[in-house]
Amino acid sequence: TRYIGDWSSDVCSSDLKQLFLDVKNQALQIAPVKVLKNFLADMPNSVSVDDYDAMIIWCEQFSAFITSARSS
C-alpha cells in the first residue's frame, strides 16, 4: 500500500517501522501495490503532493517498510 505522510526519510532504517506506525493513522493511503517493479499509481485530484514531505511504500500484509522518497 502506498501512503503519503509528514515524516522525514532521513532516519535509520531500523527506526522506519516504528516511525511509520506512529504516524500511520495520520497518513493518507493512496493505492494498493500489486507489483514491486514499475509500479505507478494515479494521485487522486483531491490530494496535493505539495502538502506532504514524503511518500512511503509499506506492506500491510507483513507490516514491513519497502521504500520511501521525499516529495519535492
Side-chain angles (χ1 to χ4, degrees):
T1 302
R2 185 174 189 191
Y3 291 89
I4 58 178
D6 294 321
W7 62 86
S8 171
S9 61
D10 296 332
V11 296
C12 177
S13 61
S14 63
D15 296 330
L16 286 172
K17 180 176 181 176
Q18 190 57 51
L19 181 61
F20 177 69
L21 293 174
D22 289 346
V23 298
K24 182 178 175 184
N25 64 338
Q26 300 166 19
L28 179 63
Q29 183 176 351
I30 298 298
V33 176
K34 298 187 183 207
V35 296
L36 291 179
K37 187 174 182 180
N38 299 323
F39 169 74
L40 295 172
D42 291 327
M43 190 68 67
N45 290 335
S46 61
V47 175
S48 173
V49 176
D50 294 333
D51 292 340
Y52 298 91
D53 296 334
M55 295 185 192
I56 190 168
I57 307 293
W58 177 262
C59 178
E60 284 290 304
Q61 182 176 358
F62 297 105
S63 189
F65 168 81
I66 305 298
T67 192
S68 66
R70 287 198 175 274
S71 56
S72 55

